[in-house]
Amino acid sequence: GWQVSMKSGSLSYILPWNRLPVQLMSQVRVYTSNGQKKDLGSEDTDRSSREEPLHKVETGQDTTTNAGQKQSSLKQPIQVKVKAVLKKREYGPKYTQNNFITGVRAINEFCLKSSDLDQLRKIKRRSPHDDTETFTVYLRSDVEAKSLEVWGSPEALARERKRRKEAEIKYRENLFRNQRLLWEYREFFGNTKPRSSTATMFFKGPGKVVMVAICINGLNFFFKLLAWVYTGSASMFSEAIHSLADTCNQALLALGISQSARTPDPSHPYGFTNMRYIASLISGVGIFMMGAGLSWYHGIIGLLHPHPIESLLWAYCILAGSLVSEGATLLVAINEIRRSARAKGLSFYQYVVQSRDPSTNVVLLEDAAAVLSVAVAATCMGLTSLTGNPYYDSVGSLGVGTLLGTVSAFLIYTNTEALLGRSIEPEQLQRLTELLESDPVVRAIHDVKATDMGMSKVRFKAEVDFDGRVVTRSYLEKQDIEQLLQEIQQVKTLEELEAFMLKHGENIIDTLGAEVDRLEKDLKQRNPDVRHVDLEIL
């Protein structure tokens, strides 16, 4: 078997005969969807004609065996496999003109009237909004053709768009000017507008707590200031500054509450609820700068330059009145937090630490610090009056400043955490995850994120792997199976198959969108805190 040699160019190889491959010189034709065919047999024939013939074997037995193998292989039928390949379609601007466009966009972008759209083809599509099931859309190509019919040319349409853009800018400038004039008119003649919904916020809930605190702390500041002028006590000065800081900060909280009630706009699509946290954060900084800073400064000055204190009788009376008023405000804040925590299913401590209601938390902590600081100031003033040593009064001022600094640090930390967008509780996140995973249409979920946006508003996001079989079965359950079977039997060509698949494929995608809407609606209904749901399809 090693006696056969084969030459290729100038090289010579000695190979065993039973290892040589048998090559069939058959013609292979490849068909494409456009009807063209390629002949691959001629190339093989030319290549084989250029090869040198094999040398004859020395033994006749091997030659006879080789001839028998060739004859048996040539007798086998030649199988040609034809593969139907769908021609790849190029999607250009002409194809995207068949996209859908809403009536509002058609009127704004193509400068049309509502009457111009009455003659166009109307298509009912699944609505992305919760309040409506379907809404009407138009083909973009029809809208473009109608706009050219109305305006005559693309240049005329471009000029009209430019004119409307300039008119819109001018309208906004006039609107700002008119709002300014209206504000000046109200300042001069008085505001006779009926009470708005924003004003009613200050008669219940956190707004009521803030307004009560503003009134009480304002009176306390006035009387404490008179007591400090009369006695010259450093502790009384710290108390007056403390009440002033509380009044200013709670006025800032009232501003934050009123701003948080504004409706969302295109620039702020998620609303202004974080204004309460921003106001509380600034309030915490104000307490630290004004309250703690001035108290420490006055206490240090008292230690460095002590001076005798006059009669403290009036100071004690004002401190007693301040203790009663601050205690009343503290009880109002405690009752409001207990009611809100009970409604959310949280404990009092959890509600305060998580800063669920920043405005009420600020009032609570400020009034608690006020009650403690009154006790500290009264104790130190009593020691000063008993011993005659003014250092005790200065130490009391330092103690009040330290207490205010601790409260401000806590407020800054909790409100910063809320503004950064922290996650919700693990138990609540687990309930949302289990609700999705228990649905038959969901195969798996990944990258789950649930962010607390503040004021009991949660944004939920997840990547969902949908079960295509369940989605398709959900679509088939709404179809007439017999009619669908007849459509399948009528498919004879590739074009008819493509049209059939495109029709039902688009309907299946719509069914998938409907399933996404259903899941989002279930999440919002079972968890009222979830306001925004973003489900991404894998």
Side-chain angles (χ1 to χ4, degrees), residues 128-147:
H129 307 290
D130 297 335
D131 53 351
T132 56
E133 295 182 358
T134 59
F135 71 123
T136 304
V137 295
Y138 304 88
L139 287 176
R140 190 180 185 89
S141 57
D142 294 346
V143 175
E144 291 179 352
K146 187 64 178 179
S147 65

Side-chain angles (χ1 to χ4, degrees), residues 439 441-442 466 515-523 535:
D439 197 281
V441 78
V442 177
F466 286 88
E515 294 293 336
V516 172
D517 293 342
R518 179 182 61 82
L519 290 176
E520 292 179 352
K521 188 175 181 180
D522 291 344
L523 286 173
L535 298 181

Side-chain angles (χ1 to χ4, degrees), residues 164-437:
R164 293 194 179 189
K165 186 67 176 178
E166 294 175 352
E168 181 182 359
I169 296 175
K170 187 176 180 181
Y171 169 77
R172 291 180 178 178
E173 293 176 353
N174 293 333
L175 180 62
F176 176 77
R177 189 180 301 109
N178 293 334
Q179 289 178 347
R180 181 67 181 178
L181 292 174
L182 182 61
W183 180 79
E184 293 178 356
Y185 172 83
R186 289 174 178 173
E187 288 292 323
F188 185 76
F189 291 100
N191 188 1
T192 59
K193 184 178 179 180
R195 181 180 297 168
S196 61
S197 58
T198 304
T200 58
M201 297 178 60
F202 295 103
F203 293 91
K204 60 181 181 180
K208 178 181 177 181
V209 176
V210 171
M211 293 305 297
V212 171
I214 289 176
C215 297
I216 293 179
N217 286 319
L219 292 175
N220 288 338
F221 165 70
F222 178 74
F223 288 112
K224 288 178 181 179
L225 185 64
L226 292 179
W228 170 71
V229 172
Y230 179 74
T231 61
S233 171
S235 297
M236 185 55 64
F237 175 80
S238 298
E239 280 298 307
I241 294 299
H242 184 186
S243 297
L244 176 62
D246 289 348
T247 305
C248 296
N249 291 330
Q250 284 150 9
L252 185 62
L253 293 179
L255 178 63
I257 292 175
S258 63
Q259 292 296 316
S260 65
R262 295 170 57 187
T263 57
D265 55 24
S267 300
H268 305 86
Y270 291 106
F272 298 84
T273 54
N274 282 339
M275 282 300 300
R276 295 194 182 190
Y277 292 96
I278 295 174
S280 300
L281 178 62
I282 298 175
S283 177
V285 176
I287 293 174
F288 184 82
M289 296 291 294
M290 184 182 294
L294 289 178
S295 297
W296 284 333
Y297 170 78
H298 207 74
I300 293 174
I301 292 298
L303 292 176
L304 296 178
H305 305 286
H307 60 277
I309 300 177
E310 303 295 334
S311 176
L312 299 177
L313 178 61
W314 286 104
Y316 289 137
C317 295
I318 292 175
L319 285 179
S322 176
L323 181 64
V324 174
S325 59
E326 297 285 0
T329 310
L330 179 61
L331 289 178
V332 173
I334 290 175
N335 292 331
E336 178 63 25
I337 290 179
R338 283 180 177 175
R339 185 185 62 81
S340 301
R342 193 182 307 111
K344 297 296 181 182
L346 300 174
S347 64
F348 185 89
Y349 175 77
Q350 290 176 339
Y351 192 89
V352 173
V353 171
Q354 295 177 12
S355 189
R356 293 283 181 169
D357 188 356
S359 303
T360 309
N361 281 357
V362 171
V363 175
L364 171 72
L365 295 176
E366 285 183 348
D367 289 339
V371 172
L372 293 178
S373 63
V374 166
V376 171
T379 302
C380 293
M381 289 170 61
L383 292 176
T384 300
S385 62
L386 290 176
T387 62
N389 188 356
Y391 287 107
Y392 289 107
D393 186 62
S394 299
V395 172
S397 180
L398 294 176
V400 172
T402 303
L403 184 61
L404 293 178
T406 304
V407 171
S408 64
F410 179 79
L411 291 175
I412 293 172
Y413 171 75
T414 55
N415 288 283
T416 302
E417 287 290 317
L419 289 173
L420 288 176
R422 59 191 173 192
S423 179
I424 62 176
E425 293 297 321
E427 296 79 8
Q428 187 179 2
L429 181 60
Q430 183 65 24
R431 289 197 299 269
L432 296 174
T433 305
E434 292 176 354
L435 176 61
L436 283 179
E437 291 179 338

Side-chain angles (χ1 to χ4, degrees), residues 87-104:
K87 185 178 179 181
K88 185 177 180 180
R89 176 171 297 179
E90 298 293 336
Y91 298 100
K94 185 177 179 181
Y95 184 82
T96 57
Q97 289 179 353
N98 292 325
N99 290 348
F100 297 136
I101 185 174
T102 60
V104 176

